Amino acid sequence: MIFKPVAIFLLGLGAAAAFVPLAAKSRMPVARQLRCVECRGRHLTCQAASVDASSVATPVLDVESKPADPFLTFKGVSEKLRPLEEIELEGLMDEDMAKARKAAFALSEDELINLTKQFLNVQFSGAFGSNPKQLSFNDVTAKDFQFVAPVVGPLSRETFVEAFSSFKLGDAFPDGDPNYYNFHQDPFEPKRIFFVSRFQGTNTGTILGLLPATNKRVESPPQVQSCTFNDRGEVTKYTIGYVMDKEVGNTGGLGGAYGIFYAIGYGLPFAEAQPWSPSPPYFLLTRGGSVVTGLIKNIQRLVGQ
């Protein structure tokens, strides 16, 4: 039995008590409540009997065996996988240092998030939002503004405005929705707000004002975007198109405008605007490893090694 060692230990206590002088017995304190311990999801309550010290001290093992109350329900999760308590993840960042970095910047997280949303509304000129103050793009961006995407940029403010305005995404996708979510301040760069976008829309308008509509639906993968600000609340850097899962959506794993064009059948004619494919050297070193290994062995056999 699992409690056999415990029983032997307690019997040993009783046997030892028989050899304690009577005077010493009279000075023995009343037995105290032992703390509850948790063992394999069961509560075991161990309690010694509170009796007169002059009488025979007979410790009592009081065992209550029942499943521990889970701290979360985990409906449908097997008992084997269900955590017994809040999991403490190793390798988490230092929260105190993160708070100190955030406190060192004049603008709060809520203020930066609102400035980010205002910038996005201005950027799309009302196509996907509102601009009640009728701010211009130059109003909400710094002179040293840069646009950076995975294979585009850095672009200056003037170059970005010229390039983006030519796409006319609002005209091409009247029902387009960026589906922004998860706005949060970066704990390492407190001037920066990260957020996610999953663009969805149907191409019912002309592309670039020239190409006819395809009536095809675009389902973009989740993409990380960010806005970095200066102390005046102006955007100094805007990043888009960093795909989180290339298997989601119908853009071939591409983010930004390149992914949108590919999804509607107007993929641009260069490798960066096409779905990724492995180069021959990369293929041989990874997926073609067995082929290369077999070839090397055959060569070694031919030369007698």
Side-chain angles (χ1 to χ4, degrees), residues 3 10 33 43-49 59-65:
F3 297 114
L10 296 178
Q33 173 80 27
H43 285 304
L44 305 180
T45 305
C46 301
Q47 180 180 14
V60 177
L61 181 63
D62 209 2
V63 179
E64 179 188 2
S65 179

Side-chain angles (χ1 to χ4, degrees), residues 252-289:
L254 298 169
Y258 290 171
I260 293 175
F261 290 145
Y262 177 82
I264 60 176
Y266 288 134
L268 301 179
F270 44 85
E272 290 80 3
Q274 297 292 320
W276 177 85
S277 61
S279 64
Y282 182 82
F283 178 84
L284 290 176
L285 290 173
T286 56
R287 304 181 188 182

Side-chain angles (χ1 to χ4, degrees), residues 208-291:
L208 304 176
L210 301 171
L211 300 174
T214 64
N215 295 311
K216 292 183 178 180
R217 180 77 175 169
V218 175
E219 299 284 344
S220 294
Q223 303 169 55
V224 175
Q225 303 189 26
S226 76
C227 286
T228 304
F229 294 84
N230 58 23
D231 295 339
R232 297 184 299 276
E234 300 167 337
V235 177
T236 60
K237 185 178 182 180
Y238 176 43
T239 66
I240 71 165
Y242 293 87
V243 172
M244 301 171 68
D245 186 348
K246 65 182 181 180
E247 294 186 331
V248 174
N250 62 350
T251 67
L254 298 169
Y258 290 171
I260 293 175
F261 290 145
Y262 177 82
I264 60 176
Y266 288 134
L268 301 179
F270 44 85
E272 290 80 3
Q274 297 292 320
W276 177 85
S277 61
S279 64
Y282 182 82
F283 178 84
L284 290 176
L285 290 173
T286 56
R287 304 181 188 182
S290 59
V291 177

Side-chain angles (χ1 to χ4, degrees), residues 25 69 87 177 198 287:
K25 287 185 179 181
D69 294 332
I87 300 298
D177 191 346
R198 294 184 68 160
R287 304 181 188 182

